[in-house]
Amino acid sequence: MKQISSRFSIAVHILSLVATIPSECTGDFIAGSVNTNPVIIRKIIGLLKKAGFVEVRAGVGGTSLRKPADQITLLDVYRAVEVIENGELFNFHNHPNPNCLVGCNIEAALRAELRDAQAAMEQRLGQVTLAQLITKFK
């Protein structure tokens, strides 16, 4: 089973910074808050820009929201930063033993359960906006 890429949490961190402290959101400031390499920040900001969530002013060194925070859901961010491969959160191991009772049935038996789990997670992420999330910051 794969974990969801940290791009998602970093992207939410970036957008939260831009929404709460818009005047200071240079790449270095964001990298300092996330505590990661600025190259990673630039890559994720590029994905957020491509999705239409932020704009970056060249030369000025600032990132700002292009959409109001109450119109960006966590699901939007999750999808924008491509955290999963082929749209499926869960992957199956290759070539289970077809001569084994479990091996020949595991994927068929488990696939529907995992799709439902992913759908439930995505539904929950779709119910939470960036604006709602940042109200939890103290």
Side-chain angles (χ1 to χ4, degrees):
M1 184 179 325
K2 295 182 84 170
Q3 289 185 318
I4 294 175
S5 165
S6 63
R7 283 190 305 264
F8 173 64
S9 62
I10 293 173
V12 172
H13 190 141
I14 291 168
L15 291 170
S16 297
L17 275 173
V18 174
T20 56
I21 314 171
S23 62
E24 299 183 34
C25 284
T26 63
D28 288 342
F29 177 80
I30 295 169
S33 178
V34 176
N35 198 21
T36 193
N37 188 308
V39 172
I40 293 170
I41 298 300
R42 284 193 293 273
K43 181 176 179 180
I44 294 173
I45 286 176
L47 293 169
L48 296 172
K49 183 178 177 183
K50 181 178 173 186
F53 299 144
V54 297
E55 63 182 345
V56 179
R57 291 176 302 277
V60 178
T63 303
S64 58
L65 291 180
R66 289 190 68 204
K67 293 177 74 172
D70 63 352
Q71 293 180 17
I72 301 172
T73 69
L74 296 182
L75 181 60
D76 296 330
V77 179
Y78 171 82
R79 289 181 173 156
V81 296
E82 304 164 0
V83 294
I84 57 175
E85 295 176 16
N86 302 320
E88 293 193 12
L89 180 59
F90 300 99
N91 290 320
F92 285 89
H93 51 294
N94 293 324
H95 314 298
N97 184 346
N99 299 318
C100 169
L101 174 66
V102 174
C104 71
N105 289 292
I106 190 68
E107 184 172 344
L110 189 55
R111 184 169 292 282
E113 297 299 328
L114 296 180
R115 280 189 185 145
D116 289 350
Q118 181 177 344
M121 181 196 72
E122 290 178 0
Q123 181 181 17
R124 176 66 185 148
L125 292 176
Q127 294 172 347
V128 180
T129 67
L130 182 62
Q132 292 170 319
L133 185 73
I134 61 179
T135 64
K136 297 179 180 181
F137 301 162
K138 298 177 181 172

